[in-house]
Amino acid sequence: MSRRVMLIYTGGTLGMVRDEQSGALISFALDDVEQKLPELKALGYHLDAVTPFNPIDSSQTEPHHWQSIAQSISEHYNNYDGFVVLHGTDTMAYTASALSYMLDGLAKPVILTGSQLPLGIPRTDARENLTTAIELAGATDSNGHPRVPEVCIYFDYRLFRGNRASKFDSDKFQAFQSPNYPALVEVGTVIRFQDRYIRPVDGPLFKLRKGIDPGVAGIRLFPGMAKSVVTPLLESADNRVLLMETFGMGNAPTHSWLLDALRHYINSGRTVVSVTQCRGGYVDMGRYHSSTALREMGVVSGRDMTFEAAITKIMWLLGNDYTGFELEKSINKDLKGELTEV
Ligand code: ASP
């Protein structure tokens, strides 16, 4: 029986055309993908496409878009071997991370892909990205089990775990990197599955857990950061968690106004999480004097999570009623392969 892959079209450059009047790129409906990419027929897959909302530039993504994508996957879960989500590159890593938490017990591939140039133009990267993403979404082993039962990003000949990847380049075809976790698949003249890095399925039951609560604030530390920039954020009642991008291994300035404000935030029952603003590596509070105070006041280490994986994880935990100790423990724990535990 032919493999069944569902395409979920959400927008982005891949499906864009140039507007005759303004010259700007706008979305078009990706109705018949096999007509645009006739080489797909050679895969022998059965393909269907859905468009869960009006296609958007992914810079417009909101949590309800993640929920709609997750809902589409859940509704069609039993009828397909894999799913390909066509998505803009700008926020693809956020969507991939959010989906990795929402699709609990996932046992089938969910592969996000997009492109730096639209499908219709001669040097486009859309053709390869889309064709191989579809091929990987339907790939099974000799027992008929999916080769990559994870939420992934396929881009420029590499398949990454979605919650480990970040957009690194706004211009090069190699737009994504995953500094803290190896590629799951390397694609050349043959497709090389790196089985030892692919995550085993969580359990026998697939369950949609799409709760999201955006009650989190993010701040990136920088030398010279003024008190007047930070304190309104910490005094706002809108957030229950502050995700702080710290220097190096989790270091921060030791001005008393900053440490006092963070301490006050934590003492009021809220949570501060630290991830590194370096592209790779991890947070290890206490390694340097300039992170000792943070550790002592109870700042939670996000270890080696990307900013995208951490912020969506916090939203998802809040949206699933995690609070207090449970919330902090879960932030620091590996839930879906997004963090390396020590
Ligand atoms: N702005 C576009 C988007 O993220 C860029 C892309 O698709 O690569 O939707």
Side-chain angles (χ1 to χ4, degrees):
M1 215 175 71
S2 74
R3 316 259 172 77
R4 296 171 61 85
V5 173
M6 167 152 274
L7 307 181
I8 301 175
Y9 178 51
T10 71
T13 297
L14 194 144
M16 283 181 166
V17 283
R18 204 165 284 286
D19 182 57
E20 303 268 296
Q21 282 175 357
S22 67
L25 290 171
I26 52 164
S27 303
F28 75 103
L30 196 74
D31 38 14
D32 185 359
V33 70
E34 275 169 328
Q35 191 191 325
K36 293 185 176 69
L37 293 174
E39 57 270 40
L40 285 174
K41 292 207 176 72
L43 289 175
Y45 289 0
H46 175 90
L47 300 177
D48 290 313
V50 290
T51 308
F53 42 80
N54 268 341
I56 53 167
D57 182 298
S58 80
S59 55
Q60 307 307 312
T61 300
E62 294 288 336
H64 69 82
H65 294 112
W66 303 333
Q67 289 169 324
S68 299
I69 300 168
Q71 183 72 42
S72 294
I73 293 169
S74 171
E75 278 167 13
H76 298 285
Y77 191 75
N78 292 328
N79 299 326
Y80 291 88
D81 297 295
F83 299 84
V84 172
V85 181
L86 283 70
H87 197 288
T89 56
D90 288 350
T91 62
M92 190 185 287
Y94 291 89
T95 299
S97 298
L99 291 177
S100 74
Y101 307 121
M102 290 177 168
L103 303 174
D104 200 23
L106 182 71
K108 300 183 177 187
V110 171
I111 301 182
L112 285 84
T113 195
S115 64
Q116 295 283 55
L117 286 175
L119 190 56
I121 77 157
R123 284 190 308 105
T124 187
D125 52 336
R127 200 163 269 280
E128 201 293 312
N129 286 348
L130 184 53
T131 309
T132 306
I134 292 172
E135 180 163 3
L136 293 174
T140 49
D141 64 17
S142 52
N143 298 317
H145 298 133
R147 294 297 301 259
V148 198
E150 297 203 31
V151 178
C152 306
I153 289 181
Y154 180 74
F155 223 88
D156 198 47
Y157 301 103
R158 287 180 300 170
L159 184 77
F160 298 116
R161 177 171 298 156
N163 57 30
R164 290 289 194 160
S166 291
K167 184 172 180 181
F168 261 64
D169 205 300
S170 61
D171 168 55
K172 294 196 175 74
F173 287 142
Q174 198 177 84
F176 286 86
Q177 305 233 3
S178 168
N180 285 334
Y181 201 78
L184 306 181
V185 179
E186 306 265 2
V187 176
T189 54
V190 294
I191 294 181
R192 293 185 179 83
F193 291 91
Q194 309 294 325
D195 289 325
R196 62 193 183 285
Y197 300 129
I198 297 172
R199 204 169 172 270
V201 176
D202 278 339
L205 282 185
F206 169 75
K207 190 161 181 274
L208 177 63
R209 296 180 69 190
K210 62 176 184 169
I212 285 281
D213 178 340
V216 53
I219 192 163
R220 184 178 172 95
L221 301 183
F222 56 91
M225 192 172 60
K227 185 176 177 184
S228 55
V229 172
V230 182
T231 40
L233 206 58
L234 295 178
E235 281 164 8
S236 155
D238 292 343
N239 56 74
R240 281 176 283 152
V241 180
L242 174 73
L243 178 59
M244 194 163 65
E245 285 186 276
T246 49
F247 303 127
M249 284 198 162
N251 303 315
T254 51
H255 317 301
S256 53
W257 68 260
L258 178 63
L259 297 182
D260 287 347
L262 292 172
R263 216 173 270 120
H264 183 257
Y265 187 86
I266 292 171
N267 290 343
S268 70
R270 299 189 279 174
T271 299
V272 178
V273 182
S274 168
V275 290
T276 177
Q277 54 184 253
C278 296
R279 294 310 219 159
Y282 52 90
V283 161
D284 184 11
M285 281 180 287
R287 175 87 72 109
Y288 291 89
H289 173 69
S290 37
S291 61
T292 308
L294 300 183
R295 190 184 60 184
E296 282 169 0
M297 72 176 77
V299 170
V300 176
S301 170
R303 287 296 299 170
D304 59 349
M305 276 190 288
T306 61
F307 181 82
E308 296 91 324
I311 202 119
T312 52
K313 182 180 190 175
I314 294 165
M315 288 188 201
W316 181 81
L317 289 168
L318 292 174
N320 285 277
D321 301 326
Y322 286 75
T323 54
F325 176 69
E326 276 306 312
L327 171 69
E328 299 194 349
K329 200 175 76 182
S330 303
I331 291 170
N332 189 243
K333 204 169 121 186
D334 174 18
L335 301 183
K336 302 291 173 191
E338 75 286 359
L339 172 152
T340 311
E341 284 185 15
V342 278

